[in-house]
Amino acid sequence: MFETPLPSAVYGLDFQAKLTVHWRLDLTTGARHNSPRSAAINDIVQRAKKITERAMLVHHAPLQFQLGDELAAERQVEGTHVWARAEGVELTVDDGDLESARKHIELLRTTTVRQAERDAERAEIRYLRDEVLTDLSTATIWWLHRNGYQVEQAVALSQHLNELVRIAAQRRDQHWADTLVTSFETALPRLSDGHRHELKQHLAKALGIYGGTTVAEEFAEQVGLPHNHISEHVELPSTNNRNRNNVPGNHNGAKPLP
């Protein structure tokens, strides 16, 4: 008989397993192991972990039968003369851990729904900015399509639509630093606030290396990074380094691309 916790898909929440390990020796293999009992138990536990570590605690009932099925098959412990299997598998969970697992699932569900809503909202904003509010005619046709082709009302709203087009154009004409950050955030929409700040720092460092401190400082000021960040984190190649690398006429410290 052997009892052990087995990991679930959520760190810190474990299944409690009780089972009987059966093992035998096959002396014809030529392999040997100094502790066949330990080898057998460890092999069964590792086989069980591969199954449970992908499962949630709330699925413990059917998981018990899956473990019983998988571990009943006798297999040779790799590199040894030991064969092992298990039977009488019992899988239980602590009531407190089970409640925590349910809360975790609910949190994942809420987070997934919110992220999907944000993704849909971002997609709608990009569609309106980049495809609808590009000029007055496109915006007017879009409004007609969405509002039953009420021509007279569309004409009456033309001034308001034109103002929306003008406002959207301001975003398209934003500073290059904002455009750079926005492009990265669009490609990586799930970045946390902390990671977004780190992204700006990495971009400032890259701009400092390849464009010089002036470009890096302009970027930092536009995106709200402190100026001392530039002096602390951007290390420009020295003049001697540029000379050693034989980079004529390159004043920003970067080697030309091949």
Side-chain angles (χ1 to χ4, degrees):
M1 292 290 298
F2 187 72
E3 296 184 29
T4 181
L6 293 173
S8 72
V10 181
Y11 179 78
L13 300 181
D14 295 334
F15 300 96
Q16 302 300 321
K18 182 186 297 184
L19 46 83
T20 302
V21 179
H22 295 265
W23 57 276
R24 66 179 177 87
L25 305 180
D26 181 3
L27 300 179
T28 64
T29 62
R32 292 292 184 271
H33 193 283
N34 292 330
S35 181
R37 177 177 180 273
S38 296
I41 293 175
N42 180 61
D43 184 69
I44 290 297
V45 171
Q46 296 307 316
R47 287 168 60 183
K49 281 183 177 180
K50 290 180 180 180
I51 298 172
T52 64
E53 66 187 4
R54 300 192 302 268
M56 301 295 287
L57 238 59
V58 295
H59 300 147
H60 66 279
L63 191 63
Q64 174 174 300
F65 295 102
Q66 182 181 356
L67 279 175
D69 177 35
E70 296 283 347
L71 300 181
E74 187 182 51
R75 297 181 185 176
Q76 184 178 11
V77 180
E78 185 177 0
T80 75
H81 61 317
V82 183
W83 289 71
R85 64 181 177 86
E87 65 178 24
V89 178
E90 296 180 12
L91 203 63
T92 59
V93 296
D94 179 78
D95 289 341
D97 286 348
L98 188 60
E99 181 61 26
S100 296
R102 292 193 178 103
K103 290 180 180 179
H104 180 77
I105 291 173
E106 184 61 32
L107 179 61
L108 287 177
R109 181 184 296 115
T110 301
T111 302
T112 300
V113 171
R114 286 178 178 172
Q115 188 60 54
E117 291 173 346
R118 289 169 184 159
D119 289 344
E121 184 177 359
R122 290 189 186 99
E124 181 68 15
I125 290 173
R126 286 194 297 270
Y127 166 68
L128 289 173
R129 183 189 66 212
D130 300 335
E131 298 185 40
V132 174
L133 300 177
T134 54
D135 53 61
L136 180 58
S137 62
T138 303
T140 302
I141 293 171
W142 172 83
W143 189 93
L144 285 170
H145 177 68
R146 296 288 292 268
N147 293 275
Y149 296 96
Q150 300 179 45
V151 177
E152 292 183 0
Q153 191 172 355
V155 173
L157 291 172
S158 62
Q159 183 176 352
H160 296 295
L161 290 173
N162 194 47
E163 182 66 15
L164 290 175
V165 169
R166 185 188 65 79
I167 294 173
Q170 292 176 355
R171 177 61 183 269
R172 288 191 290 271
D173 296 335
Q174 64 182 334
H175 191 276
W176 61 264
D178 295 322
T179 303
L180 183 60
V181 174
T182 301
S183 297
F184 272 89
E185 291 181 341
T186 301
L188 306 168
R190 291 176 176 81
L191 286 178
S192 65
D193 290 340
H195 286 159
R196 283 190 171 88
H197 183 72
E198 291 176 1
L199 171 63
K200 293 176 182 179
Q201 291 178 338
H202 286 305
L203 290 174
K205 183 175 182 179
L207 289 169
I209 292 173
Y210 294 102
T213 54
T214 301
V215 175
E217 287 175 355
E218 181 181 351
F219 173 83
E221 182 176 358
Q222 184 66 29
V223 302
L225 287 177
H227 278 280
N228 60 356
H229 166 84
I230 301 301
S231 59
E232 291 176 0
H233 296 282
V234 175
E235 299 178 1
L236 294 177
S238 65
T239 303
N240 292 334
N241 287 339
R242 288 199 297 270
N243 292 336
R244 283 199 300 270
N245 293 329
N246 295 321
V247 188
N250 187 9
H251 302 293
N252 59 15
K255 289 184 179 181
L257 295 176

